[in-house]
Structure formats: C-alpha cells, structure tokens
Amino acid sequence: MKILVVDDNRINRLLPMTLLRQAGCEVAECEDGEEALRVLAAEAFDLVLLDIGMPGMSGTEVCRVLRTRPEGAALRIIAYTAHALPSETETIMTAGFDGLLIKPIDRKTLLRAVGLEA
C-alpha cells in the first residue's frame, strides 16, 4: 500500500511513517496542503493521512479539492487530527473524508484506520 502522510509537524509525520513502513507500506510525506495537492497530481497513492489543522490550506480544504479531481474520487483519505469534539468530527466527515484517526496514535489504531488490521 502506498500512503502519503501530510502534517505540518515533523514529529506528527514521523510516528505514522515509521509504523506504516514497519507494516510494509511505501510511505511519502508532505508538510502542507499545497505540497500534498502537487504530489497527488503527479503520483498515485492508495491512501492519504491528512492533518486537519495546518497553516495555509487546511486538511478539510485539501480533501474538498481532492474530491473534485479525477484522481481524488477513489482515493482513501483519513483525517489525522487532535480535533475530536462531535461538532468538529461532523464537519470533518462531511468534507469527504473516509475515516478519522485521533492523535495521539498507536500502532494498532493506525493500522486499523488504514485497513491493515481488523
């Protein structure tokens, strides 16, 4: 599985990238939404782990843009966020995300969220 991890915080990219590589995934990273859109336009991925609260373009905005693109229609996009209030969760999911992964994460919840573990 090829996964793109998008988060403005390097530490928040490092943990999921390490765990996903250990699980046999091919992993790439981006530090903001604009870079993610450029990478996703040029390269195919199976899944995007997308932070919500980033400077510039938010993860919610990135998700909405991706859903309008041909390459974004079938792409699995998981929100990767510390925002877990019910009102925030509803806003996130109506933006077009396929799932929600709440920070901080551990190996089991990450692998379950991306579909590598039941």
Side-chain angles (χ1 to χ4, degrees), residues 47-61:
L47 185 140
V48 178
L49 199 58
L50 183 57
D51 182 31
I52 297 298
M54 296 184 288
M57 190 175 222
S58 74
T60 303
E61 292 170 303

Side-chain angles (χ1 to χ4, degrees), residues 39-99:
V39 168
L40 289 162
E43 197 173 337
F45 286 84
D46 300 303
L47 185 140
V48 178
L49 199 58
L50 183 57
D51 182 31
I52 297 298
M54 296 184 288
M57 190 175 222
S58 74
T60 303
E61 292 170 303
V62 172
C63 184
R64 285 186 180 125
V65 169
L66 286 170
R67 292 301 186 210
T68 67
R69 293 180 172 182
E71 71 271 13
L75 182 64
R76 286 193 56 223
I77 307 172
I78 306 293
Y80 177 50
T81 183
H83 305 283
L85 297 175
S87 62
E88 294 168 318
T89 300
E90 184 178 331
T91 301
I92 290 167
M93 295 310 291
T94 58
F97 286 92
D98 296 300

